[in-house]
Amino acid sequence: MLDVQNQADTREIPLAKVGVKGLEYPIRVLDKKNTSQYTSATVDLFANLPKHFKGTHMSRFIEIFHRYRNDLSMPMFLNMLADVRRDLDAEASFGVVNFPYFLEKTAPISALPGMMSYRCSYQGNVNAHGRHFTVSISVPVATVCPCSKAISERGAHNQRGIVKVVLELGPFFWIEDVIDIVEKAASSPVYSLLKREDEKFITERAYDNPKFVEDVVRDVYLSIRNIKKFPRFSVEAENFESIHNHSAFARAEYAG
Amino acid sequence: MLDVQNQADTREIPLAKVGVKGLEYPIRVLDKKNTSQYTSATVDLFANLPKHFKGTHMSRFIEIFHRYRNDLSMPMFLNMLADVRRDLDAEASFGVVNFPYFLEKTAPISALPGMMSYRCSYQGNVNAHGRHFTVSISVPVATVCPCSKAISERGAHNQRGIVKVVLELGPFFWIEDVIDIVEKAASSPVYSLLKREDEKFITERAYDNPKFVEDVVRDVYLSIRNIKKFPRFSVEAENFESIHNHSAFARAEYAG
Amino acid sequence: MLDVQNQADTREIPLAKVGVKGLEYPIRVLDKKNTSQYTSATVDLFANLPKHFKGTHMSRFIEIFHRYRNDLSMPMFLNMLADVRRDLDAEASFGVVNFPYFLEKTAPISALPGMMSYRCSYQGNVNAHGRHFTVSISVPVATVCPCSKAISERGAHNQRGIVKVVLELGPFFWIEDVIDIVEKAASSPVYSLLKREDEKFITERAYDNPKFVEDVVRDVYLSIRNIKKFPRFSVEAENFESIHNHSAFARAEYAG
Amino acid sequence: MLDVQNQADTREIPLAKVGVKGLEYPIRVLDKKNTSQYTSATVDLFANLPKHFKGTHMSRFIEIFHRYRNDLSMPMFLNMLADVRRDLDAEASFGVVNFPYFLEKTAPISALPGMMSYRCSYQGNVNAHGRHFTVSISVPVATVCPCSKAISERGAHNQRGIVKVVLELGPFFWIEDVIDIVEKAASSPVYSLLKREDEKFITERAYDNPKFVEDVVRDVYLSIRNIKKFPRFSVEAENFESIHNHSAFARAEYAG
């Protein structure tokens, strides 16, 4: 049967990335407390395409990912990308896997349990120079506005925000530990399940601990830099402002 | 040229709705202050299909909507649906137009202007029994939690919420008037542009005026019922809780 | 500690629904082949609120759902809603759980396996008159346009579409069986993994089997009606037209 | 009134970006045929924040953008960012404006008119070294698969795709001209309104002109490079494959 993709191409244009995007797949990832957890992912997989080939072979990306779906620990994710590079005869391979990561979290006073969902993603590439791996972790938090508190005689506006940390690895670490750092840097963590005694505790703790997006970003940045594990990272915070219909945003970057 | 859609169908199954969905179009709607405003819409248009026809003629929906795009006042929207019914030889036609509606709003103390966007939609249907028209208006607001305020020694959690009012018409009314009702029923309206003196004012006003989603829904409901213009309506409020990663929700329905 | 929600309300407005919305949770559901599967869900849970109560107790919804997360078979989902009704002292409870449901599917010629994701949702309510349960299943398919094929000398436009079946139960059935009905009614099923021999087979089979959205809806409707299991159901098809930037849509409803 | 944002910060961490995100605003942009058009935008505006300041003044971003909303031609967009840099006392300012851009397009045979929507964005930054401006234009197209056509005895799978061109300017150009280049590089443009004679024409033209995502990207790349106007650009194509539930993707980059 004719292999159109394998035909020669004369336009002399190499493609940086060719592959599949938006694939929905069940995966299993490592979990500090329970060894592993099942979740659902959205997957992009690419390889570069040299200028002399007309097209890539899209089915090979799926064949490879299918084999790895039940063990997407960070090292296995890079092995998967190395297989993509080899099986596609490519100089470089690239991959992104987005998934919700679930943790049980107990309320601060009642200690009742609820599940929290944290959006995470693995991003990696493999080429002749090595393997590169980046993890992104998004943590919902609560923030009380320091300006609103300082200028108002009573109350202070506050809101939910999302803090996104992107880490270039580096030695192994647990997603749980980064979540912990972020939750400590906010006015308060957020929870799925809170009884009244928890709500009182959180309201007062958050009011006593007001933070701008700028403050949250700087405090997370300091904590991550102090670990001295990550050669490069960024921290972003987005507040869904309760007094506006838009967000407040801040971002810091560390490059060694 | 063969008209496949017009062929006879023997399966004996009438279709409730057939048509186009997700059409993006520039439109012009009425505006209380500036006579009219341009905005961008997402449009669904349907007709029923009797059991003896194989298919509908999708292009006719677009031809009709194209003619009406520059005057989508409420009466013209229904005229457009009447054209759909006629040109498609249908018993009934249906339409939904979603669009952001923009208003200039001044800050409460500084009086500085900013634009606010309110998601609105027109929904209508036309059949042998008449014309039916429903308008949906979504208004972002701020709410302070009465429970959090009552049980805490200081502060109170608050957040952005969205209040959605769906009105069955009824005589003409202005979208602006419904927005006004909703903003008055919340702990505070939200704004695009606020200086510090505005932020202080809003923080204190909201703290003095705590509201559950249940309260907001009931207060909007009362105000709309008191107008005695709308034969049927619903009010929903969704709070993007600052202490959770999910929403609190309430809904009331009025049916005459 | 003060129970603000439990205070009396004098506005005399009962609320149709009060509760939590957009909760992200890991769940386990039944699976025909593997007994059960883990997936990730978005959850809404509501109860009605009589006019004399100021507010509901939002934390109870989470406590109840947390207990049921590891067994959300259809009967257990209704038991969960019965618990909501009881623990919230409500006349009626309501719930929606949306989740991707994953199945392994083999290519038609090469027989290579890949995972497919199908968006499903459970919707139910429990009140003094009984328990009501509805399942929604969305199946991606390929459709070839019969008109384009008939009027063109070569080729025919085709595209991906989504067919959504909503079933009111009724006796137990498997999600897998509904997916099978839908895939047989399209021009072709879609797959995650296809080699060239599969692509040739699908291209020709689809070309030999052109279907409008109207046809797909009617053929699915016929097959489901013939099972005689479901007192009420609807079938919708949406085609992401390859020659337009909008969708073609059709819907049929069965009401006994 | 206390200016908390202006207080000194001792953490010694400069922030790369601080500002507002997700602001929805009505804007007016240039239009080749009609001089200008109104549309609705989502806006992000940022400035850097030196390490010695605690916070930025978020309201100033809105004040500045409000003044420019009625003339967001490309030069005025950069003037707006220069104002942000000046009024925020920043070394660098950044902005992104996303909007649907509408054009009337006539069907290829019937010449009937319909409106098409193209997602565009302006991205810019201003600092001591100058002004940088990038435009992103997304064009929906139809593609017929060359492999499917070559290996099948009849038919060929085809689908809608989106081609995204990102251009670093460079001298002035019209969005319309880039849209034209992309539509010529696909198997066929897509349209809002097509009669049967148009559908026949497009079906046959597309079948005679099969293109992989790789081909579309390379042909757009060649045309844009040949204009010799843009110091840097990228071209991406994403096909919503009709035989899969995921996309095929290709990307090329030009860097002078």
Side-chain angles (χ1 to χ4, degrees):
Chain A
M1 198 177 286
L2 191 63
D3 187 345
V4 181
Q5 283 87 345
N6 236 0
Q7 290 173 338
D9 201 284
T10 59
R11 281 167 291 195
E12 297 277 324
I13 303 170
L15 296 177
K17 289 183 183 176
V18 183
V20 296
K21 195 170 154 66
L23 179 73
E24 293 179 37
Y25 239 77
I27 62 167
R28 193 165 60 163
V29 295
L30 288 187
D31 177 319
K32 192 175 184 179
K33 187 176 163 199
N34 305 306
T35 314
S36 73
Q37 71 172 260
Y38 292 91
T39 184
S40 53
T42 305
V43 182
D44 303 341
L45 293 173
F46 310 118
N48 75 306
L49 186 72
K51 61 184 177 182
H52 49 279
F53 286 120
K54 184 170 170 63
T56 196
H57 291 86
M58 301 275 179
S59 63
R60 293 183 195 168
F61 295 97
I62 315 288
E63 284 181 270
I64 295 165
F65 193 80
H66 190 74
R67 289 200 305 267
Y68 280 90
R69 72 189 186 282
N70 280 322
D71 180 5
L72 277 181
S73 63
M74 298 180 195
M76 292 304 272
F77 178 74
L78 288 172
N79 287 352
M80 187 269 297
L81 289 181
D83 282 12
V84 168
R85 183 172 177 251
R86 183 195 62 209
D87 291 2
L88 275 297
D89 288 317
E91 292 145 24
S93 59
F94 310 84
V96 183
V97 177
N98 290 292
F99 55 92
Y101 185 71
F102 294 102
L103 293 179
E104 191 173 275
K105 193 169 165 187
T106 54
I109 305 296
S110 70
L112 287 172
M115 301 300 294
M116 282 290 294
S117 165
Y118 303 91
R119 292 270 145 194
C120 296
S121 79
Y122 293 169
Q123 303 189 48
N125 64 78
V126 173
N127 57 39
H129 305 297
R131 298 172 170 209
H132 307 88
F133 191 83
T134 299
V135 174
S136 158
I137 303 165
S138 291
V139 183
V141 298
T143 59
V144 170
C145 177
C147 170
S148 169
K149 181 181 173 184
I151 63 179
S152 303
E153 286 171 33
R154 51 200 179 278
H157 81 78
N158 52 75
Q159 52 271 316
R160 197 192 303 160
I162 294 278
V163 180
K164 184 178 174 184
V165 179
V166 180
L167 302 163
E168 189 177 314
L169 302 185
F172 180 82
F173 76 103
W174 288 103
I175 287 175
E176 287 79 351
D177 299 340
V178 174
I179 292 171
D180 195 51
I181 285 172
V182 173
E183 295 190 335
K184 287 195 170 113
S187 296
S188 171
V190 301
Y191 300 83
S192 291
L193 174 52
L194 294 171
K195 305 304 286 184
R196 257 173 304 153
E197 59 266 35
D198 303 308
E199 187 172 354
K200 172 181 164 60
F201 175 82
I202 287 177
T203 301
E204 295 170 356
R205 181 174 61 180
Y207 187 78
D208 293 341
N209 192 25
K211 297 269 190 132
F212 287 129
V213 277
E214 293 94 328
D215 293 316
V216 176
V217 164
R218 280 170 165 155
D219 289 346
V220 172
Y221 181 101
L222 276 178
S223 295
I224 292 176
R225 198 180 59 186
N226 286 346
I227 301 177
K228 296 188 173 139
K229 260 193 176 181
F230 304 103
R232 230 177 284 266
F233 65 86
S234 67
V235 182
E236 287 180 5
E238 179 174 357
N239 264 4
F240 308 117
E241 297 286 290
S242 64
I243 59 171
H244 295 300
N245 198 27
H246 60 260
S247 295
F249 178 85
R251 174 183 169 87
E253 295 161 4
Y254 176 83
Chain B
M1 199 176 286
L2 190 64
D3 187 346
V4 181
Q5 283 87 346
N6 236 0
Q7 290 174 339
D9 202 283
T10 58
R11 283 166 289 194
E12 297 277 324
I13 302 169
L15 296 178
K17 290 184 182 174
V18 183
V20 295
K21 194 168 155 68
L23 179 71
E24 293 179 37
Y25 239 76
I27 62 168
R28 193 164 61 163
V29 295
L30 287 186
D31 177 320
K32 193 175 185 178
K33 187 176 164 199
N34 304 307
T35 314
S36 72
Q37 71 172 260
Y38 291 91
T39 184
S40 53
T42 304
V43 182
D44 302 342
L45 293 172
F46 311 119
N48 75 306
L49 186 72
K51 61 183 177 182
H52 48 279
F53 287 120
K54 184 170 170 63
T56 196
H57 292 86
M58 301 276 178
S59 63
R60 294 183 194 167
F61 295 96
I62 315 287
E63 284 180 88
I64 295 166
F65 192 80
H66 190 73
R67 290 200 303 268
Y68 281 89
R69 73 187 186 284
N70 279 323
D71 181 6
L72 277 182
S73 63
M74 297 180 195
M76 292 304 273
F77 177 75
L78 288 172
N79 287 352
M80 186 269 297
L81 288 181
D83 282 12
V84 168
R85 184 173 175 251
R86 185 195 61 208
D87 292 2
L88 275 296
D89 288 317
E91 292 146 24
S93 59
F94 310 85
V96 184
V97 177
N98 290 292
F99 56 92
Y101 185 71
F102 294 102
L103 293 178
E104 191 173 276
K105 193 170 166 187
T106 53
I109 305 296
S110 70
L112 286 173
M115 301 300 294
M116 281 290 295
S117 165
Y118 302 91
R119 292 270 145 195
C120 295
S121 78
Y122 292 169
Q123 304 189 48
N125 65 78
V126 173
N127 57 40
H129 306 298
R131 298 171 171 211
H132 307 88
F133 192 83
T134 299
V135 175
S136 159
I137 303 166
S138 291
V139 183
V141 298
T143 59
V144 170
C145 177
C147 171
S148 169
K149 181 181 173 183
I151 63 180
S152 304
E153 286 172 32
R154 52 202 178 276
H157 81 78
N158 53 74
Q159 53 270 317
R160 197 192 302 161
I162 293 278
V163 180
K164 184 177 175 183
V165 178
V166 180
L167 302 162
E168 188 177 314
L169 302 184
F172 180 82
F173 77 102
W174 288 104
I175 287 175
E176 287 79 350
D177 299 340
V178 175
I179 291 171
D180 196 51
I181 285 171
V182 173
E183 295 189 337
K184 287 196 170 112
S187 295
S188 171
V190 301
Y191 300 82
S192 290
L193 175 52
L194 294 171
K195 305 304 287 184
R196 256 172 305 151
E197 58 266 36
D198 303 308
E199 187 172 354
K200 172 181 164 61
F201 176 81
I202 287 177
T203 301
E204 294 170 357
R205 181 174 61 181
Y207 187 78
D208 293 342
N209 192 25
K211 297 269 190 132
F212 287 129
V213 278
E214 293 94 327
D215 294 314
V216 176
V217 164
R218 279 170 165 153
D219 289 345
V220 172
Y221 181 101
L222 276 177
S223 295
I224 292 176
R225 197 180 60 188
N226 286 346
I227 300 177
K228 295 186 173 140
K229 260 194 176 181
F230 305 103
R232 229 176 284 268
F233 65 85
S234 67
V235 182
E236 287 180 4
E238 180 175 357
N239 265 3
F240 309 117
E241 298 286 289
S242 63
I243 58 172
H244 295 301
N245 198 28
H246 59 261
S247 295
F249 178 86
R251 174 183 170 88
E253 295 162 3
Y254 177 82
Chain C
M1 199 176 285
L2 191 63
D3 187 345
V4 182
Q5 283 87 345
N6 235 2
Q7 290 174 339
D9 202 282
T10 58
R11 282 167 290 195
E12 297 278 324
I13 302 168
L15 296 177
K17 288 182 183 175
V18 182
V20 295
K21 196 169 155 63
L23 179 71
E24 293 179 37
Y25 239 75
I27 63 168
R28 194 164 61 163
V29 295
L30 288 187
D31 176 321
K32 193 176 184 178
K33 189 177 162 199
N34 304 306
T35 314
S36 73
Q37 71 172 259
Y38 291 91
T39 183
S40 53
T42 305
V43 181
D44 303 341
L45 293 173
F46 310 119
N48 76 307
L49 186 73
K51 62 183 177 183
H52 48 278
F53 286 121
K54 183 169 171 64
T56 196
H57 292 86
M58 301 276 178
S59 63
R60 294 183 193 167
F61 295 96
I62 314 288
E63 284 181 270
I64 296 165
F65 193 79
H66 190 74
R67 290 200 304 268
Y68 280 89
R69 73 189 187 283
N70 280 322
D71 180 6
L72 278 181
S73 63
M74 298 180 196
M76 292 303 272
F77 177 75
L78 289 172
N79 287 352
M80 186 269 297
L81 289 181
D83 282 13
V84 169
R85 183 173 176 251
R86 184 196 61 208
D87 291 3
L88 275 295
D89 287 317
E91 291 145 25
S93 59
F94 310 85
V96 184
V97 177
N98 290 291
F99 56 92
Y101 185 70
F102 294 102
L103 293 178
E104 191 174 275
K105 195 169 166 187
T106 54
I109 305 297
S110 70
L112 287 173
M115 301 301 293
M116 282 290 294
S117 164
Y118 303 91
R119 292 270 146 196
C120 295
S121 78
Y122 292 168
Q123 303 188 48
N125 64 77
V126 173
N127 57 39
H129 306 297
R131 297 171 172 212
H132 306 88
F133 192 83
T134 300
V135 175
S136 159
I137 303 165
S138 291
V139 183
V141 298
T143 60
V144 171
C145 176
C147 171
S148 170
K149 181 182 173 183
I151 63 180
S152 303
E153 286 171 34
R154 51 201 179 279
H157 81 78
N158 53 75
Q159 53 271 315
R160 196 192 303 161
I162 294 277
V163 181
K164 184 176 174 184
V165 179
V166 180
L167 302 163
E168 188 178 315
L169 300 186
F172 181 82
F173 77 102
W174 287 105
I175 287 175
E176 287 79 352
D177 298 340
V178 175
I179 291 171
D180 196 50
I181 285 172
V182 173
E183 294 189 338
K184 287 195 170 113
S187 295
S188 171
V190 302
Y191 300 82
S192 291
L193 175 52
L194 294 171
K195 305 304 287 185
R196 257 173 302 151
E197 58 268 35
D198 303 308
E199 187 172 354
K200 173 181 164 59
F201 176 81
I202 287 177
T203 300
E204 295 170 356
R205 181 175 61 180
Y207 187 78
D208 293 342
N209 192 25
K211 297 269 191 132
F212 287 129
V213 277
E214 292 94 328
D215 294 314
V216 176
V217 164
R218 279 169 166 155
D219 289 346
V220 171
Y221 181 103
L222 276 178
S223 295
I224 291 177
R225 198 180 58 188
N226 287 346
I227 300 177
K228 295 184 173 140
K229 260 192 176 181
F230 304 104
R232 230 178 283 268
F233 64 86
S234 67
V235 183
E236 289 181 4
E238 179 175 356
N239 264 2
F240 309 116
E241 298 285 290
S242 64
I243 60 172
H244 295 301
N245 197 28
H246 59 260
S247 295
F249 179 85
R251 175 183 169 88
E253 295 161 4
Y254 177 83
Chain D
M1 199 177 286
L2 190 63
D3 188 345
V4 181
Q5 284 87 344
N6 235 1
Q7 291 173 338
D9 202 283
T10 57
R11 282 166 290 193
E12 297 277 325
I13 303 169
L15 296 177
K17 289 183 182 175
V18 182
V20 295
K21 194 170 156 65
L23 179 72
E24 294 179 36
Y25 239 77
I27 62 168
R28 192 164 61 162
V29 294
L30 288 186
D31 177 320
K32 193 176 184 178
K33 188 176 163 198
N34 304 306
T35 313
S36 72
Q37 71 172 260
Y38 291 91
T39 184
S40 53
T42 305
V43 181
D44 302 341
L45 293 173
F46 310 119
N48 76 306
L49 186 72
K51 62 184 178 183
H52 49 278
F53 285 120
K54 183 170 172 64
T56 196
H57 292 86
M58 301 276 179
S59 63
R60 295 184 193 166
F61 295 96
I62 314 289
E63 285 181 88
I64 295 166
F65 193 79
H66 190 73
R67 290 200 303 268
Y68 280 90
R69 73 188 186 284
N70 279 323
D71 181 6
L72 277 181
S73 63
M74 298 180 196
M76 292 304 272
F77 177 75
L78 288 172
N79 288 350
M80 187 269 296
L81 289 182
D83 282 13
V84 169
R85 184 172 175 251
R86 185 195 61 208
D87 292 2
L88 274 295
D89 287 316
E91 291 145 26
S93 59
F94 310 84
V96 183
V97 177
N98 291 291
F99 56 92
Y101 185 71
F102 293 102
L103 293 179
E104 191 174 274
K105 193 170 166 187
T106 54
I109 305 296
S110 70
L112 286 172
M115 300 301 293
M116 282 289 295
S117 164
Y118 302 91
R119 291 271 147 195
C120 295
S121 78
Y122 292 168
Q123 303 189 48
N125 64 77
V126 173
N127 57 39
H129 306 297
R131 297 171 170 210
H132 307 88
F133 191 82
T134 299
V135 175
S136 158
I137 303 165
S138 291
V139 183
V141 298
T143 58
V144 170
C145 177
C147 170
S148 170
K149 181 182 172 183
I151 62 179
S152 303
E153 286 171 33
R154 52 199 179 278
H157 81 78
N158 52 75
Q159 52 271 317
R160 197 191 303 160
I162 294 278
V163 181
K164 183 176 174 184
V165 179
V166 180
L167 302 162
E168 188 178 313
L169 299 186
F172 180 81
F173 77 102
W174 288 104
I175 286 175
E176 287 80 351
D177 299 340
V178 174
I179 291 172
D180 196 50
I181 284 173
V182 173
E183 294 189 338
K184 287 195 170 112
S187 295
S188 172
V190 301
Y191 299 83
S192 290
L193 176 51
L194 294 170
K195 305 304 287 186
R196 258 172 303 150
E197 58 267 35
D198 302 310
E199 187 172 354
K200 173 181 163 60
F201 176 81
I202 286 176
T203 301
E204 295 169 355
R205 180 175 61 181
Y207 187 78
D208 293 342
N209 192 25
K211 297 268 190 134
F212 287 129
V213 278
E214 291 94 328
D215 294 315
V216 176
V217 165
R218 280 169 165 155
D219 289 346
V220 171
Y221 181 102
L222 276 177
S223 296
I224 291 177
R225 198 180 58 188
N226 287 346
I227 301 177
K228 296 186 173 137
K229 259 192 176 182
F230 304 104
R232 230 178 283 267
F233 65 86
S234 68
V235 182
E236 288 181 4
E238 179 174 356
N239 264 4
F240 309 117
E241 298 286 291
S242 65
I243 60 173
H244 295 301
N245 198 28
H246 60 260
S247 296
F249 178 85
R251 173 184 170 87
E253 295 162 4
Y254 177 83

